[in-house]
Amino acid sequence: MKARRRPAGRRGAPRPATLIPGDGIGPEVTDAAVRVIAAAGGRIAWDVQIAGKAAFEKVGTAIPDALVASIRRTRVGLKGPLETQIGRVGYRSVNVALRKTFDLYANVRPIKSLPGVRTAFSGVDLIVVRENTEDLYSGIEHQIAPGVVESVKVITARASRRIARFAFDLARREKRRKIVAIHKANIMKLSDGLFLSCAREVAKKHPRTRYGELIVDNACLQLVRRPQDFDVLLLENLYGDIVSDLCAGLVGGLGVVPGANLGTRYAIFEAVHGTAPDIAGKNMANPLAAILSGVMLLRHVGQRRPADRIDRAVTRLLRERRTRTRDLGGTATTSAVADRLIALL
Ligand code: ATP
């Protein structure tokens, strides 16, 4: 009888996944995530690939073919932040290019109050769903006359419907009660108007989930007054980027908020924060956002037990208030946080 090969991902066989350490604090925080995942019993075979600045300097392109091939093979990745150069210089954003290449159309960021992390609010538990492929991130910019430039905001019905469907499906799966679409359709009547009409159309097909709308400036005000009233936020790309950071501030900052970029075939997990050049290489960065992104990855590939274990260890670590990085009011290093989590595991 022919021996049947066990598909990767089943019990026993490590699940292949691409690891992009990234720039700035990326290598430090992803290293912590990899160590914690292994200690929790996560069975992942990491394929380490360079991208961004490191790749540009080494092989002349920010997205090497080897990286693309790796993600096509593994279909799942954990990514550190990649530097995006400001202004006219250098290559285009690798983050944006990766999202487009793999059609990672949904960016999901769970924002939850953590035990032992003192902030202005408690009981925050919301999910940001951000459209990830269009809007002002289309990259279409031109100078129409000296001193006059245009940036093109692209909104399509296809992408708007798709992200709205994603948000309603997620709400049903996660037993969430209400979705609020956030917009500025009073000013951008065509683009944001189209986004809203698609969201309304999808909402009609999901009568069990409550649906509301807020203009983005008012949404920011309401979020910093009563964040507990929010459940799922549905946003275009740019508002999603900005509102995510605001929401991170509600629960302890960028050091604790994980994220996922999801498409129909591929998924790349990454913290909300950037490369944090001010603290890079100093063993000071909070690795929890990267570790919790790893937890999302484990759940995505069906490894729930190690994911739950890490979640519990993070709760204990924060409750004991002993080992925490500077952004959370402590003095611990990145590696000390990982070591303590591993001890708790
Ligand atoms: P980029 O251009 O890559 O987005 P940035 O500095 O503009 O970098 P972030 O990297 O998100 O934006 O950092 C914003 C602030 O938050 C910085 O002061 C940074 O030190 C802090 N920060 C970000 N991530 C962390 C983290 N994991 N731990 C501690 N502080 C962090």
Side-chain angles (χ1 to χ4, degrees), residues 14-86:
R15 169 68 162 80
T18 304
L19 178 71
I20 307 165
D23 303 319
I25 59 172
E28 300 161 68
V29 296
T30 52
D31 175 69
V34 166
R35 287 202 293 130
V36 170
I37 288 170
R43 299 178 311 282
I44 305 287
W46 298 106
D47 178 19
V48 182
Q49 295 289 336
I50 52 167
K53 194 177 167 204
F56 194 69
E57 283 165 7
K58 199 166 167 195
V59 293
T61 164
I63 306 186
D65 292 346
L67 165 69
V68 175
S70 173
I71 296 173
R72 288 209 194 288
R73 183 175 65 82
T74 64
R75 295 196 190 177
V76 60
L78 179 65
K79 179 178 139 330
L82 294 170
E83 190 182 297
T84 300
Q85 292 175 340
I86 295 174

Side-chain angles (χ1 to χ4, degrees), residues 25 254-255 273-279 285-286 327:
I25 59 172
L254 291 171
H273 63 70
T275 55
D278 49 335
I279 55 168
N286 189 342
D327 56 312

Side-chain angles (χ1 to χ4, degrees), residues 47-284:
D47 178 19
V48 182
Q49 295 289 336
I50 52 167
K53 194 177 167 204
F56 194 69
E57 283 165 7
K58 199 166 167 195
V59 293
T61 164
I63 306 186
D65 292 346
L67 165 69
V68 175
S70 173
I71 296 173
R72 288 209 194 288
R73 183 175 65 82
T74 64
R75 295 196 190 177
V76 60
L78 179 65
K79 179 178 139 330
L82 294 170
E83 190 182 297
T84 300
Q85 292 175 340
I86 295 174
R88 285 166 164 269
V89 291
Y91 44 84
R92 271 183 53 197
S93 166
V94 186
N95 300 310
V96 174
L98 276 178
R99 288 168 194 169
K100 286 192 175 168
T101 305
F102 295 103
D103 198 21
L104 304 168
Y105 66 91
N107 188 207
V108 178
R109 293 166 165 181
I111 310 278
K112 207 171 168 182
S113 297
L114 292 162
V117 178
R118 203 178 303 152
T119 59
F121 303 100
S122 59
V124 179
D125 183 6
L126 58 89
I127 303 176
V128 174
V129 175
R130 165 187 174 196
E131 203 289 324
N132 226 1
T133 61
E134 53 182 33
D135 192 359
L136 278 163
Y137 291 65
S138 65
I140 308 168
E141 287 193 306
H142 40 247
Q143 178 174 313
I144 50 175
V148 186
V149 294
E150 281 182 348
S151 298
V152 180
K153 168 164 172 158
V154 177
I155 298 291
T156 66
R158 177 179 173 269
S160 303
R161 266 189 219 113
R162 184 161 76 155
I163 194 69
R165 267 190 229 115
F166 178 95
F168 278 91
D169 287 346
L170 176 134
R172 201 190 47 232
R173 252 192 346 265
E174 305 271 329
K175 301 191 176 32
R176 298 280 174 161
R177 302 170 320 280
K178 185 170 183 194
I179 294 182
V180 176
I182 293 174
H183 65 94
K184 191 80 184 172
N186 50 333
I187 302 297
M188 278 157 280
K189 294 181 193 297
L190 280 184
S191 53
D192 286 14
L194 177 61
F195 182 80
L196 272 192
S197 69
C198 292
R200 285 175 196 163
E201 190 187 296
V202 175
K204 276 196 193 125
K205 295 185 182 141
H206 295 80
R208 287 201 189 157
T209 308
R210 276 160 55 211
Y211 171 74
E213 293 167 358
L214 274 180
I215 296 179
V216 62
D217 37 0
N218 185 22
C220 292
L221 173 69
Q222 304 302 331
L223 275 164
V224 296
R225 291 183 74 176
R226 291 208 47 82
Q228 302 89 345
D229 289 352
F230 288 84
D231 203 354
V232 177
L233 312 186
L234 170 61
L235 308 102
E236 290 168 7
N237 208 343
L238 182 65
Y239 306 144
D241 184 20
I242 298 165
V243 172
S244 298
D245 272 33
L246 181 150
C247 289
L250 302 171
V251 297
L254 291 171
V256 294
V257 179
N261 298 293
L262 305 171
T264 44
R265 276 175 81 81
Y266 304 100
I268 298 182
F269 297 82
E270 63 178 329
V272 172
H273 63 70
T275 55
D278 49 335
I279 55 168
K282 296 183 180 161
N283 201 13
M284 274 168 64

